[in-house]
Amino acid sequence: MPDSALSGKTVLVTGGAKNLGGAISRDLAAAGARIAVHYHSPSDKGLADETVAACVAAGGDAFAVEAELTSVTEIRRVLDSVTGRYGALYATVNTAGLARGNPMTEVTEDEYDAHFAINSKAAFFVMAETAKRIDDGGAILNLVSSLLAAYTGRYSVYAGSKAPVEHFTRALSKELAGRRVSVNNLAPGPMDTSFFWNAAAPGEEEFSRAQTPYGELTKVEHIVPWVRFLLTDGWWLNGQTVFLNGGFATR
């Protein structure tokens, strides 16, 4: 059933073709939102097209846009295509990210630069360029990581490149307060998707499960309702990072 708070409103979901981003795109479309499904490379085009079709079938309107978000020019092109198509932008949900797990002594310069390019630089400019175009009363929501509250090795570059987003979020939430735009982060725990599997070391999945009282990894369906909530009734939360991990880590 469409949510009157989202019906007809435009949402950009970066990384919106698959995994958590794909589920968020579908859920918001089912609530009546118009979805811009961003995807990173031609290899994901098929998944993006499937997500767009699912959004339309759910009752929303949607289109896909490919872009390399480490380029500010490309970020601007994406946002201009959204406002050009729909005439407005209510919210951006930024799920795009990169995760690899290596000891610091094995991290290459290229690996370091790649993480900070997408997890920090792209997040900063997606937020900044969204802020220039977003409707008053809208929302900006970033997906970060519960590793920001964890005491662990192997993810120094991943967690380190996500940490600046908390500072970006606090600053932008202050700057946009007069326009009633909320800016927040959701920090899932290790998630039962390929994003985690591709980064995890042997035995890490079992270890991560054991760190929560429930003995489970975070699932996509644990996160999606919070996204919809923070874009609607949860607007009063602002400048915050919410750790959604079943008790994996707290702060």
Side-chain angles (χ1 to χ4, degrees):
M1 180 177 180
D3 185 330
S4 60
L6 286 174
S7 183
K9 292 182 177 176
T10 301
V11 181
L12 166 64
V13 183
T14 69
K18 61 183 180 180
N19 291 332
L20 176 60
I24 290 169
S25 296
R26 288 168 164 82
D27 181 72
L28 297 179
R34 304 179 297 190
I35 309 297
V37 178
H38 159 264
Y39 65 103
H40 172 70
S41 64
S43 62
D44 287 332
K45 184 180 187 305
L47 291 170
D49 289 342
E50 289 177 13
T51 299
V52 167
C55 289
V56 172
D61 186 27
F63 78 105
V65 55
E66 178 188 345
E68 171 52 75
L69 297 183
T70 59
S71 163
V72 179
T73 299
E74 285 289 274
I75 291 171
R76 290 171 179 158
R77 178 180 64 80
V78 169
L79 283 156
D80 287 344
S81 71
V82 175
T83 55
R85 181 181 178 105
Y86 293 125
L89 176 63
Y90 172 71
T92 290
V93 181
N94 182 33
T95 79
L98 174 65
R100 296 289 182 269
N102 278 314
M104 285 185 69
T105 53
E106 297 177 15
V107 172
T108 66
E109 183 177 4
D110 286 347
E111 182 180 342
Y112 179 97
D113 288 345
H115 277 78
F116 275 84
I118 188 65
N119 294 339
S120 294
K121 177 187 174 183
F124 179 94
F125 284 103
V126 165
M127 294 168 71
E129 293 299 324
T130 293
K132 297 174 183 178
R133 298 163 174 81
I134 197 166
D135 302 338
D136 290 356
I140 299 172
L141 184 60
N142 302 297
L143 274 293
V144 289
S145 171
S146 280
L147 291 181
L148 295 176
Y151 184 32
T152 183
R154 293 190 69 249
Y155 292 102
S156 58
V157 178
Y158 172 60
S161 61
K162 286 288 191 179
V165 181
E166 289 200 276
H167 297 277
F168 304 158
T169 294
R170 285 193 284 268
L172 190 58
S173 69
K174 283 281 190 179
E175 293 168 14
L176 295 180
R179 296 177 54 200
R180 310 288 285 187
V181 173
S182 65
V183 188
N184 292 292
N185 302 314
L186 289 178
M191 190 173 293
D192 198 4
T193 72
S194 59
F195 190 80
F196 171 65
W197 308 328
N198 292 339
E204 190 172 329
E205 179 179 340
E206 292 75 15
F207 174 81
S208 296
R209 290 180 187 276
Q211 297 309 297
T212 72
Y214 307 119
E216 300 177 26
L217 296 177
T218 297
K219 295 182 173 61
V220 165
E221 54 265 33
H222 297 151
I223 307 302
V224 169
W226 285 79
V227 174
R228 191 195 288 203
F229 173 68
L230 290 177
L231 298 191
T232 54
D233 292 342
W235 65 272
W236 186 243
L237 190 78
N238 203 12
Q240 306 296 318
T241 299
V242 179
F243 288 83
L244 294 174
N245 56 36
F248 170 80
T250 64
R251 188 177 66 183

